[in-house]
Amino acid sequence: TQTIGTGGSHDFTSLSAWAAALPANLVTDGNSYVGQCYFNGSSDGELVGTGNRLTLSGHTTDVTHTITLTTGSGQSFRDNAGVQSNALTYNAANGVGIRVSATNYSTAVAIADSNVFLSNLQIKNIVFGGSAIGFTGTGALTLTNCIINGVMGSSDNLNASSGTLTCSNCVFENTAITGADEIIRITSGTNNFYFCDFVSASDLTFPTRGILYGSGDSIL
């Protein structure tokens, strides 16, 4: 387990540095790896910047040698003192937030690896043509207790093109002023959603569809 935060008291100050330090083959390495993100106000800030914030690709994993990105103890929006009354929307003041601030067609969290777990995170993309989460792996990705937000038109909260995707207790929220193509885009693979919400704010332009599945089928 390693810690990630913009302050100087952690193992890594960026998500990309943490990813670069992962062994190429977790199976032969014999370990699973957990990145714990921190947000402590004055000492640690939002994990924000231009271009992809995190790319996980080229790592060999299996079901007992996995990669997990989550939050440190007390660092999630779920741990915030106002959790019972806070709006379920991206707000980095409430806990760890990962956000792309610029560079069109960027993805906040891009995953091609298998056996990856994301939990307790807020993830946001505000750039044109990108995604908050992009999943191109042929294995498994699991999302639990996350807030996923997309803003610009022609972008998705989640874009999954293959593999096995399992999402539980997540909010997928579109806040595009001009309207987006869809909230999530699923090209293929096996996809399971449990107790998730797909949201478009009523005072903004609705996306063209809630979920795009396959080559053009619209759902919702």
Side-chain angles (χ1 to χ4, degrees), residues 12 73 93 104 117 127 143 181 186 194 198 217:
F12 300 96
S73 177
N104 289 345
F117 297 82
V127 302
L143 308 178
D181 292 341
I186 298 171
Y194 304 98
F198 304 90
D217 295 330

Side-chain angles (χ1 to χ4, degrees), residues 10 38 62 100 130 152 187:
H10 301 290
Y38 278 75
D62 62 21
V100 174
M152 293 294 290
T187 305

Side-chain angles (χ1 to χ4, degrees), residues 180-191:
D181 292 341
E182 57 270 334
I183 297 177
I184 67 172
R185 176 188 293 260
I186 298 171
T187 305
S188 62
T190 301
N191 306 278

Side-chain angles (χ1 to χ4, degrees), residues 76-191:
S76 172
F77 70 95
R78 302 179 67 228
D79 303 311
N80 187 273
V83 64
Q84 295 298 321
S85 57
N86 289 340
L88 282 175
T89 186
Y90 185 98
N91 184 347
N94 292 339
V96 170
I98 301 170
R99 178 169 61 92
V100 174
S101 62
T103 308
N104 289 345
Y105 302 100
S106 297
T107 298
V109 177
I111 299 172
D113 287 336
S114 301
N115 303 301
V116 175
F117 297 82
L118 305 179
S119 65
N120 302 330
L121 298 164
Q122 301 180 88
I123 303 173
K124 184 172 185 174
N125 184 355
I126 70 168
V127 302
F128 181 88
S131 302
I133 296 177
F135 177 45
T136 57
T138 57
L141 169 64
T142 302
L143 308 178
T144 308
N145 300 323
C146 291
I147 294 175
I148 314 298
N149 182 268
V151 174
M152 293 294 290
S154 297
S155 65
D156 307 294
N157 298 63
L158 170 67
N159 191 327
S161 60
S162 58
T164 300
L165 172 68
T166 303
C167 303
S168 60
N169 298 311
C170 291
V171 175
F172 297 91
E173 179 190 30
N174 180 270
T175 53
I177 296 174
T178 58
D181 292 341
E182 57 270 334
I183 297 177
I184 67 172
R185 176 188 293 260
I186 298 171
T187 305
S188 62
T190 301
N191 306 278

